Amino acid sequence: MSEIRHDWRVSEIRAIHDLPLTELVYRAREIHRRYHDEDAVQLCSLLSVKTGGCTEDCGYCSQSIHHETPVKPEPLLKVDEVVAAAREAKEQGATRFCMGAAWREVKEGAAFDRVLEMVRQVRGLGLETCVTLGMLNDEQAARLAEAGLTAYNHNLDTSPQHYDRVVTTRRFSDRLETLDAIRDAGIRICSGGILGLGESVDDRCAMLATLAARDPHPESIPVNALVAIEGTPMAGRSPVDTVAMARMIATARIVCPTSMVRLSAGRQQMSEEGQLLCILAGANSIFFGERLLTTGNPGFEADKALLGKAGLKPLAPDPGAVGTSDAA
Ligand code: SAM
Ligand code: DTB
Ligand code: SF4
């Protein structure tokens, strides 16, 4: 039977998730070695190009107008500022650059035109280029594809059942529709979730089942640990257990063998050993640089030292993702 399946039952995923950690990690590594470089970790940098003032009410987010958080709304960055940050990330060793905007959805007009120009220029540096701009229609997805976008990030965040306890201003089905628009435009999908939103283990497995049901699987699955932000409804939650992160990552690796599984938000709250356990469990990417969107992340030097200590190397650029015609 093929290992690439789209008919995973939640109970099957749960059985894998609950294996003894040693066996779970062993199985994840077997799959990992078959489909991925054994000792390479992709370094991705992240930049908030439009911060705060978002009309959605996502319970975890510092950028929602529904919560009083320390984040001050800021206008859309200028193209040159973004390109300078992308160039710096590339010099440090990043091969992928992700730009986030605190929008409920993309709107036509000058702001979207500017984001398209950011995509063109970042892609022109020879970096994989990802954006996360909220909901999107077919025509907007096509324009992003034409600008050279590699991937679009749009997280499911949690299970369909738990979704309305986290966000009430949109539906889970809205998320799936945006994923369809991205796929139809030929853009790679980056979609994952967050641990620590009060979900059950079955919710985590149900989210993975929803991702795995997509054909093809999302090329990229970020696994975030909640960064509990002052002023949000999730403030004061206890930090996500590292072993729970490792279990989720290993399960994602087994259920979606070819996907990049990304150890995303929450690393600053983890020990070095905890982060390495997640990499051992099948994560092959980290966010690289001292900022995520509005919160901190270990800096370039700390991460180079961590990978060096573990004998891991930065993943080389993927010619399939950045093309060969770049004047990089
Ligand atoms: N507004 C767009 C959207 O929601 O799709 C893009 C930006 S949004 C900040 C990108 C993703 O970051 C969210 O889907 C969520 O998964 C993740 N995220 C946001 N705040 C977080 C937090 N405090 N802890 C962990 N992950 C978070
Ligand atoms: C993803 O899954 N995680 C990133 C990226 N995609 C856009 C965002 C993490 C945000 C963490 C909280 C913050 O910095 O505001
Ligand atoms: Fe934050 Fe994105 Fe939700 Fe807006 S849509 S509140 S930016 S996570």
Side-chain angles (χ1 to χ4, degrees), residues 200-251:
S200 66
V201 174
D202 272 344
D203 285 318
R204 294 175 190 169
C205 295
M207 183 187 86
L208 283 181
T210 312
L211 291 171
R214 302 193 65 85
D215 189 3
H217 290 159
E219 286 78 5
S220 163
I221 303 183
V223 180
N224 296 277
L226 173 71
V227 181
I229 293 165
E230 188 193 325
T232 66
M234 308 273 173
R237 297 243 169 178
S238 40
V240 176
D241 178 53
T242 304
V243 175
M245 282 293 280
R247 282 193 179 280
M248 184 70 174
I249 286 168
T251 310

Side-chain angles (χ1 to χ4, degrees), residues 54-58 60-61 63-64 101-104 170 175:
C54 183
T55 55
E56 299 282 69
D57 70 352
C58 312
Y60 47 77
C61 188
Q63 306 193 65
S64 164
W103 287 334
R104 169 180 160 76
R170 59 169 184 256
R175 292 311 259 186

Side-chain angles (χ1 to χ4, degrees), residues 46 60-63 71 98-100 132 153-155 157 190-194 221-225 227 229 262 264-266 287 291-296:
L46 187 54
Y60 47 77
C61 188
S62 61
Q63 306 193 65
V71 170
C98 311
M99 295 168 270
T132 178
N153 167 251
H154 200 65
N155 290 338
D157 284 340
C190 173
S191 187
I194 310 179
I221 303 183
V223 180
N224 296 277
V227 181
I229 293 165
R262 305 186 191 273
S264 301
F287 280 125
R291 298 294 290 166
L292 292 168
L293 292 175
T294 67
T295 65

